[in-house]
Amino acid sequence: MKNIQLLLIAVLLQSCFPVSIPPNLENGKWMEAQKFKRKLPNQYAYIFTDPKDANEFYYYISAKFPPNQEGDSENNVPVQINDTNYYISFYETEKKSRMVNLLPAITNEVLRDKNIPIELEEPPITREGTWYIVLTITDAEFIDALSPSYKNQKKILDYTKILHNEYISTTNYNSLQFQK
């Protein structure tokens, strides 16, 4: 019985425990942007996991909606949805997963207490990130078009889902310029 307890303690100390795990938003989710990440604007947003490389969504938006006169393809990109003008802004943001490995952390502390200068190289906390695209849409008066109180919110939300699916399935963004 004592051997089983020692075995369980050894396995427990060698295990990694998740402290925070980023959500899986492959299918996208509509929510308040600031509840997803504090530094985002105080608006409703459509958020999805970005499986592609950095800046790919920027290239997609630039190809689909050529830059306006100011040349900005991230903020207030003009689009027409059902013959009404709207503005899309997007943000690339990362959420990190954190895992704690107890054995190196405990061993390093014991060695430090005994004034032994050896430290295990493996960090006690490891991080791995997941990137997300956060889409916000406003109307011509800069009213949040994804807000539940907005009159055409359902149509706008459907449009964001179409953009998401088109982005994921498109590999050659130049072909988007020939579609209308």
Side-chain angles (χ1 to χ4, degrees), residues 6-158:
L6 289 175
L7 178 67
L8 287 175
I9 290 173
V11 168
L12 181 70
L13 289 176
Q14 290 182 356
S15 300
C16 288
F17 297 98
V19 177
S20 66
I21 300 172
N24 180 3
L25 299 179
E26 286 181 20
N27 296 325
K29 185 174 182 177
W30 167 79
M31 66 187 303
E32 290 180 57
Q34 279 191 341
K35 284 189 178 180
F36 184 72
K37 196 158 188 178
R38 275 189 237 167
K39 293 183 179 181
L40 292 171
N42 189 17
Q43 289 180 264
Y44 281 86
Y46 180 76
I47 305 167
F48 61 92
T49 304
D50 186 6
K52 297 185 178 185
D53 293 334
N55 296 323
E56 286 290 318
F57 194 76
Y58 173 82
Y59 300 138
Y60 164 75
I61 291 292
S62 294
K64 184 158 180 76
F65 310 107
N68 55 21
Q69 292 175 348
E70 292 84 36
D72 192 1
S73 292
E74 291 180 29
N75 298 308
N76 300 326
V77 177
V79 297
Q80 276 206 333
I81 304 170
N82 296 333
D83 298 325
T84 306
N85 292 328
Y86 292 96
Y87 298 95
I88 295 177
S89 294
F90 72 90
Y91 308 87
E92 289 181 312
T93 188
E94 179 183 30
K95 281 208 162 194
K96 296 180 179 183
S97 62
R98 295 186 319 171
M99 307 285 240
V100 175
N101 190 346
L102 294 178
L103 183 62
I106 292 171
T107 305
N108 285 339
E109 285 301 315
V110 168
L111 293 175
R112 242 183 255 126
D113 287 345
K114 295 186 179 192
N115 293 326
I116 301 173
I118 300 172
E119 283 199 25
L120 296 178
E121 290 184 22
E122 184 179 345
I125 297 177
T126 57
R127 291 185 172 201
E128 210 174 281
T130 302
W131 285 90
Y132 298 92
I133 300 295
V134 179
L135 292 175
T136 61
I137 299 181
T138 58
D139 63 9
E141 293 148 11
F142 294 102
I143 297 172
D144 184 2
L146 288 172
S147 171
S149 62
Y150 192 75
K151 60 184 173 195
N152 294 326
Q153 185 257 357
K154 174 88 171 99
K155 291 178 184 177
I156 306 300
L157 190 56
D158 290 341

Side-chain angles (χ1 to χ4, degrees), residues 143-175:
I143 297 172
D144 184 2
L146 288 172
S147 171
S149 62
Y150 192 75
K151 60 184 173 195
N152 294 326
Q153 185 257 357
K154 174 88 171 99
K155 291 178 184 177
I156 306 300
L157 190 56
D158 290 341
Y159 184 78
T160 59
K161 291 176 184 178
I162 290 168
L163 277 179
H164 170 210
N165 291 331
E166 185 179 63
Y167 166 66
I168 297 298
S169 63
T170 304
T171 54
N172 181 4
Y173 303 132
N174 291 331
S175 66

